[in-house]
Amino acid sequence: MTEPLDPILRYVDEQRARFVDELVTWCRIPSISSSEAHAADMRRSAEHLRERLSRLGATSTAVIDTRLHPAVYAEWIVDPKKPTLLVYGHHDVQPSEPLSEWRSPPFEPAVRDGRLWGRGVVDDKGQVYIHVNAVEAFVRTKGAPPINVKMIVEGEEEIGSVNLDGLLRSHADRLQADFVVVSDTAMFGRGIPSLCVGLRGIAYFDVTVHALSMDAHSGSFGGGIANPANALARMIASLHDESGRITVPGFYDRVRELTAAERAEIASLPFDEREWLASVGGHAAVGERGYSTLERIWTRPTLDVNGLDSGWQGEGSKTIIPARAKAKLSCRLVPDQDPTEIAALVEKHLVAIAPPGCRVEVRYLHGGRPYLAPTEHPVYEIAKRAFSRAFGARTVFIREGGSIPFVRTIADRTGKPCLLMGFGQPDENAHAPNEWLDLENYHLGIKSAVYLYDELSRA
Ligand SMILES: [Zn+2]
């Protein structure tokens, strides 16, 4: 351990309780971005943070207005020759309903069993304060952080970061940095420092098979005309082969195969498949042959039915040939698949396999690109080392099966390596009642940030 960090780490230990109190105070503000009624709270939350940051010797702070809810910006420019780290977080939170399911009120954060319970404690106010406290530790013991630090804390993450792209564009100069760190994800499990290095993208479709202008009598017409429900069922069934691969021509053309090292890293994770299945009442893990469950959900593309609708769904029987059949389909995409390209391939294929008497209409509803971190960049080794020093355990690379649109936005806008260094737990109830923050993680998270800033200053 490097000597010079000792006073800083000691400061983090000494301030442990106060750092929790500060977080509690901020989390009392119900900054719910999805509700008009909380617009004033959103502003109060932003002002509260800006105020705290300006007391920590930031060289500049600002509340930045967007069309909806304000973001907060602060910077500590210590030396233009030193590297600059941009920290991203968000200060808006999810709604707290249903209130009756909370064991303590969502906006009166309470400590129980080594955890802080309340809305926003981990998603994402606690993770923002991990960085704020790390900066404080440097400022109070050394006068300033060892690198240039910039923070952008938006207020619209929970409603899809609707103005983030514009914000990053209109403040591009100010937000220049060498590295970006995003602390808004979860660790693989307790005590396992994890860097998320991959996210799946998405392409979403609305599919309609048209056959008749009206529902027809199944006795008078059945067997003599096309049934769009039968047709759609056959079409959907044909979209996967026996080995679980998707049959759309060209679908896998851009899929990056995993390297032996990536497969070994994933295989090394303590994944409890039974627990994962049990979390949704599942009975068996199934999917594309030749891949483990984690490989399937993190690194392989999918094509899934999200909804199906046709014909009579009411009580009892009704003997009809439905006029049309509909499905909602979506693909989870992996590097380097492109949603618009996949949309074109899927549409072309569905139209091509429509049986006689049926016309297929495909509407592409929305898409998002997958993300793969440039892990060969030296900053990933630095981050691994920093994270491991704080937690005393090996840092693992994980991925996420879902999409986090703002990560792509930031990665694309800044063009810099984006470290997803999250301090949440997989079961912390983010977005659900009884959200909690592991206070040991909060404490070690602050130390991780201290180590990260220090390591980056010597990079
Ligand atoms: Zn979040």
Side-chain angles (χ1 to χ4, degrees), residues 440-453:
E440 179 70 7
N441 258 31
Y442 182 58
H443 185 63
L444 296 179
I446 298 165
K447 291 189 171 177
S448 304
V450 166
Y451 283 122
L452 179 68
Y453 302 173

Side-chain angles (χ1 to χ4, degrees), residues 47-293:
E47 291 293 353
H48 182 91
L49 176 61
R50 194 202 64 79
E51 169 75 28
R52 169 108 203 263
L53 296 172
S54 69
R55 276 187 278 121
L56 299 182
T59 40
S60 144
T61 62
V63 168
I64 302 176
D65 284 318
T66 71
R67 258 169 307 184
L68 272 170
H69 302 303
V72 178
Y73 175 76
E75 63 182 27
W76 291 259
I77 305 298
V78 297
D79 181 352
K81 291 192 292 296
K82 292 246 166 99
T84 301
L85 176 71
L86 175 65
V87 176
Y88 165 91
H90 62 92
H91 69 98
D92 61 324
V93 302
Q94 284 275 317
S96 51
E97 286 82 11
L99 284 174
S100 59
E101 289 188 20
W102 286 80
R103 267 166 284 151
S104 51
F107 296 107
E108 289 168 38
V111 175
R112 290 191 303 275
D113 318 318
R115 298 171 174 184
L116 181 66
W117 301 78
R119 174 57 85 227
V121 292
V122 68
D123 182 17
D124 184 37
K125 285 174 170 166
Q127 301 205 47
V128 169
Y129 263 28
I130 280 174
H131 290 281
V132 173
N133 296 329
V135 168
E136 177 183 317
F138 276 105
V139 170
R140 296 284 179 253
T141 56
K142 301 274 169 184
I147 49 169
N148 303 308
V149 177
K150 297 177 173 182
M151 270 186 206
I152 182 77
V153 183
E154 72 157 320
E156 298 167 340
E157 195 278 332
E158 302 294 4
I159 50 172
S161 298
V162 281
N163 294 306
L164 182 62
D165 192 54
L167 195 149
L168 294 179
R169 208 168 346 176
S170 51
H171 296 269
D173 283 348
R174 211 185 217 182
L175 297 169
Q176 288 273 342
D178 301 295
F179 320 102
V180 183
V181 63
V182 168
S183 294
D184 190 23
T185 52
M187 296 169 37
F188 190 77
R190 195 157 203 277
I192 307 174
S194 321
L195 290 169
C196 181
V197 298
L199 305 166
R200 288 198 292 189
I202 192 166
Y204 204 108
F205 311 93
D206 196 304
V207 179
T208 308
V209 175
H210 301 272
L212 311 170
S213 62
M214 67 186 83
D215 291 353
H217 191 295
S218 70
S220 313
F221 291 90
I225 52 168
N227 180 322
N230 294 15
L232 180 58
R234 281 183 77 118
M235 288 166 64
I236 288 171
S238 78
L239 294 175
H240 291 85
D241 69 13
E242 286 302 305
S243 65
R245 273 176 78 88
I246 294 148
T247 55
V248 175
F251 192 84
Y252 291 92
D253 284 1
R254 289 189 195 273
V255 171
R256 273 202 222 185
E257 285 299 329
L258 287 169
T259 63
E262 286 170 328
R263 297 195 85 161
E265 174 82 9
I266 292 172
S268 77
L269 296 170
F271 177 58
D272 188 335
E273 192 169 278
R274 289 240 303 265
E275 195 184 318
W276 174 78
L277 278 171
S279 70
V280 288
H283 301 286
V286 296
E288 187 181 358
R289 203 176 294 154
Y291 297 91
S292 72
T293 296

